[in-house]
Amino acid sequence: MDKPQASFPARRMRRLRRTPALRRLVAETRLSVDDLVAPLFVREGIAEPQPVPSLPGVVQHTRDSLVKEARRLVSLEIPALTLFGVPLGKDALGSAAWDDGGIVQVALRELRDEVGDALVLIADLCLDEYTDHGHCGVLDGRGEVDNDATLELYGRVAVAQARAGADVVAPSGMMDGQVAAIRGALDDAGFTEVAVLAYAAKYASALYGPFRDAVDVTIAGGGDRKGYQQDPRNGREALTEVRLDLAEGADIVMVKPALAYLDVIAAVRAVADAPVAAYHVSGEYAMVKAAAQQGWIDGDAVALEHLTAIKRAGADIILTYHAAELAERLA
Ligand code: PBG
């Protein structure tokens, strides 16, 4: 008798998918609490935490509730938070951003007192929450964002945040040369140990809407940030941004948003030796929550799938509003 022909299909891919333990054993991607950074908002002059309607489960914290939330993050073993401030008053330069008595600086000191080194304190470094026109930098005579005048102010913000206890400053304004300016200002002030997490490839995305609710930012005259943030049509340009930021001294480079830019995350991972972060932004979170509230998707399952995909694409670190709920489930 002839030997039977090689059985078809030649390779049974389903063998290793049969049981949960087998699937666990061969999983290529492992999402861990260690990967997560929780973005938090602290608002000056409020007595009670204020819910952000477009970000279910997210609040503008009071100084007290912020500290409590930080303690909860420590108990969940989340390694880091990133802090955004909502000041009482705004002006043309955004001066509350570098005031030692400004809300983020005050909050950073209180957080450091409370949690010591148990949490990495990342301070978002930008001016848009503090300027009355809502742009990420100062305006020139024509109403355009003045790159180099803004760099000088970013240096001041970085030093104020470092003085208040930030471990990491995270410039998100997409000004050219911002990493070098901030690194220089920190070093000159003796803060050589403070790291820079650069929003290196940050796109002019329509997914930041709920965040702007959370920080009470409206861009004057119905404007946008397309003059400084990246065009979503461009991928190669992201690699130039990343290379520039690394050359300027960035310790961590970030891609933002995440899901619509998985190709960019993968490409950045391939060229960068530094840790790569991705920001799963407010609109990405809000879409999951909204569809789940309608009963149209299983929100928990989709959140896990989304964040796993971001990790699989190459992110080492993920900033996400899902951090605490996910840490509870991964525990
Ligand atoms: C700017 C900043 C933004 C976000 C983080 N830093 C908004 C913007 O560029 O308009 C968005 C984060 C999110 O949507 O979750 N300071």
Side-chain angles (χ1 to χ4, degrees):
M1 286 281 283
D2 285 348
K3 266 178 56 186
Q5 285 212 313
S7 62
F8 186 82
R11 179 149 173 222
R12 293 209 172 260
M13 297 304 292
R14 291 179 52 183
R15 276 181 201 129
L16 300 183
R17 296 177 191 154
R18 200 167 46 80
T19 68
L22 269 167
R23 294 194 288 272
R24 211 148 43 86
L25 183 70
V26 301
E28 295 173 28
T29 305
R30 295 169 201 275
L31 188 66
S32 148
V33 174
D34 292 338
D35 306 324
L36 305 176
V37 179
L40 298 180
F41 302 96
V42 61
R43 180 166 165 189
E44 191 171 21
I46 52 170
E48 293 296 326
Q50 305 290 312
V52 181
S54 54
L55 288 175
V58 174
V59 301
Q60 295 177 323
H61 281 287
T62 67
R63 283 161 51 187
D64 280 353
S65 72
L66 179 74
V67 166
K68 284 200 194 96
E69 180 65 7
R71 262 192 257 132
R72 186 168 80 102
L73 297 178
V74 172
S75 71
L76 291 169
E77 296 184 17
I78 291 176
L81 63 77
T82 188
L83 189 61
F84 298 92
V86 188
L88 260 182
K90 308 188 188 220
D91 61 28
L93 295 182
S95 59
W98 63 84
D99 184 341
D100 285 326
I103 182 62
V104 160
Q105 282 68 254
V106 170
L108 283 171
R109 273 184 235 113
E110 290 175 348
L111 287 170
R112 182 59 75 210
D113 282 351
E114 183 66 26
V115 301
D117 283 336
L119 267 183
V120 177
L121 301 182
I122 305 174
D124 190 80
L125 196 169
C126 200
L127 294 175
D128 62 322
E129 294 91 358
Y130 304 92
T131 52
D132 50 18
H133 45 74
H135 276 292
C136 295
V138 279
L139 304 184
D140 63 17
R142 292 170 304 153
E144 305 271 329
V145 174
D146 183 331
N147 193 86
D148 297 3
T150 300
L151 295 184
E152 200 256 314
L153 302 183
Y154 282 1
R156 291 192 213 176
V157 181
V159 171
Q161 292 174 337
R163 203 159 36 225
D167 297 296
V168 181
V169 297
S172 61
M174 290 299 279
M175 295 301 122
D176 287 318
Q178 63 184 12
V179 174
I182 287 165
R183 184 71 267 159
L186 288 171
D187 291 350
D188 286 349
F191 294 110
T192 51
E193 301 305 313
V194 172
V196 177
L197 185 172
Y199 285 71
K202 176 173 177 180
Y203 284 87
S205 170
L207 290 159
Y208 305 149
F211 172 92
R212 292 184 194 155
D213 294 342
V215 291
D216 292 334
V217 167
T218 315
I219 306 175
D224 58 46
R225 307 202 194 290
K226 292 180 183 165
Y228 39 102
Q229 298 179 347
Q230 271 191 253
D231 187 325
R233 291 171 291 194
N234 296 344
R236 293 190 298 270
E237 192 188 345
L239 300 182
T240 306
E241 287 280 6
V242 164
R243 288 196 185 96
L244 284 167
D245 282 1
L246 289 171
E248 289 178 30
D251 300 284
I252 303 172
V253 288
M254 185 149 73
V255 175
K256 174 186 174 188
L259 282 175
Y261 301 87
L262 293 181
D263 56 331
V264 177
I265 295 172
V268 169
R269 172 69 291 162
V271 301
D273 292 332
V276 174
Y279 199 147
H280 183 254
V281 300
S282 59
E284 302 181 85
Y285 173 90
M287 289 194 288
V288 173
K289 291 292 173 187
Q293 275 173 4
Q294 294 285 327
W296 293 343
I297 61 169
D298 174 343
D300 285 351
V302 171
L304 186 61
E305 185 174 335
H306 279 181
L307 296 172
T308 302
I310 294 165
K311 181 97 196 269
R312 190 190 65 231
D316 305 297
I317 299 168
I318 306 174
L319 282 67
T320 172
Y321 304 96
H322 290 294
E325 60 180 51
L326 211 79
E328 277 166 3
R329 289 168 53 214
L330 294 175

